[in-house]
Amino acid sequence: MSAHTDHAHTAAAPHDHAHCVADALTRADALCAERGARLTILRRRVLELVWSSHRPRGAYAILEDLSQQDGKATAPLTVYRALEFLVDQGLVHRIESLNAYVGCAAPGASHSGQFLVCEGCGDAAEIDDPSIRSAIDAAATVRGFRVQRPTVEVRGVCKDCQEKHP
Amino acid sequence: MSAHTDHAHTAAAPHDHAHCVADALTRADALCAERGARLTILRRRVLELVWSSHRPRGAYAILEDLSQQDGKATAPLTVYRALEFLVDQGLVHRIESLNAYVGCAAPGASHSGQFLVCEGCGDAAEIDDPSIRSAIDAAATVRGFRVQRPTVEVRGVCKDCQEKHP
DNA sequence: GCTCATGATGTTATTTTATAACATTTCTAA
DNA sequence: TTAGAAATGTTATAAAATAACATCATGAGC
Ligand SMILES: [Zn+2]
Ligand SMILES: [Zn+2]
Ligand SMILES: [Zn+2]
Ligand SMILES: [Zn+2]
């Protein structure tokens, strides 16, 4: 069995993050190839920067990284367009309540877009809980509402932060 | 029994909206009095403007209304501060995915903050579905996450809009 | 190889949304 | 009435996102 287990990595838990990012990029390469979507150099760089931490990152933070790497100013649109592509491909999620973006832990699989957002450390743990999804679907169906994109963002305090500040 | 029934009004369904707004203001008066919170003239006016439709409204739209009523420019902060108060009191909800605000249909009661947001008509129907809430609580508990404020915003198409564009 | 249509990126300017810092006014309770 | 606190006014700025248009890259078809 691989050293990389299935359990989700977090910003807090120490782990081989380079591997983590490399995995994400490899998955993205495979998925885009499979779909005929063009994961260009720029988009791939932006994806890598989104993954640079396990925390949600703002578009302008990514913009700064990009500008610094290139030694010249990059325009916001450059980043926003790349992010739009990545979100459309399901490689990145946008956290609405933070105006920020985070790499998807399981692209390809169904994305319900559920996050536990910690007020303490800023971590946004992606979960995919079928019972939340089915409860939403049921509530929508009863009201004749056709679901396109359910968003669940739960603000609170993660386990680690609770232990640190009891 | 009152002419006003319990079922939720929507922007689409014709109804006595003046009554609708008056009710919201009366409820707000009562709640704030009960809590010793100060629903000042300004805050009450902003609440009324939030309720001016059943659709989410942006802070700057409310700002324009306010400026027009007074015949002079109002500063954004004026509106944002009032909105902050109203959100804190649970009289208004912020729809994160729209950067907009909508009157709460049932202030005082527990607010889980669940919305069905229609892409067609812009309506944001507030629901309070216990099974969604308990599914979220269960998922959080399993992960040791302490829930403070769950946000559910479901994008899709409402019943009316589906019937209009089949 | 060329050629053109399409998609991607560059460039400049602007819009939309939200907050900071500090002054003044209003309310409340002692 | 008179602090002290809360609310509002004022001015300036920050943060997030998009519009409009030009240029460049890519790849299918010839
Ligand atoms: Zn990692
Ligand atoms: Zn935390
Ligand atoms: Zn109404
Ligand atoms: Zn609709």
Side-chain angles (χ1 to χ4, degrees), chain A residues 12 55 117-123 156-162 164, chain B residues 145:
Chain A
R55 294 196 170 86
V117 182
C118 178
E119 302 272 7
C121 60
D123 205 68
V157 183
C158 78
K159 192 174 184 178
D160 286 347
C161 287
Q162 285 176 57
K164 280 175 196 157
Chain B
F145 188 92

Side-chain angles (χ1 to χ4, degrees), chain A residues 32-139:
Chain A
C32 288
E34 191 179 313
R35 294 170 181 166
R38 291 166 60 183
L39 185 60
T40 61
I41 306 287
L42 178 62
R43 290 167 173 171
R44 204 169 185 278
R45 283 178 68 201
V46 169
L47 178 59
E48 187 172 11
L49 290 171
V50 168
W51 270 99
S52 67
S53 78
H54 284 269
R55 294 196 170 86
R57 305 200 71 207
Y60 278 74
I62 291 165
L63 180 62
E64 274 189 30
D65 292 347
L66 212 54
S67 297
Q68 196 158 23
Q69 285 183 359
D70 293 349
K72 63 174 178 176
T74 308
L77 254 189
T78 302
V79 169
Y80 279 105
R81 287 196 281 223
L83 287 171
E84 184 184 20
F85 169 86
L86 296 169
V87 169
D88 284 348
Q89 295 297 324
L91 298 168
V92 164
H93 291 290
R94 175 180 159 79
I95 310 290
E96 300 291 347
S97 57
L98 295 175
N99 293 339
Y101 301 81
V102 69
C104 174
S110 86
H111 304 83
S112 190
Q114 304 168 354
F115 292 91
L116 304 179
V117 182
C118 178
E119 302 272 7
C121 60
D123 205 68
E126 180 169 5
I127 64 178
D128 191 7
D129 190 296
S131 66
I132 294 177
R133 178 58 202 254
S134 62
I136 288 175
D137 285 341

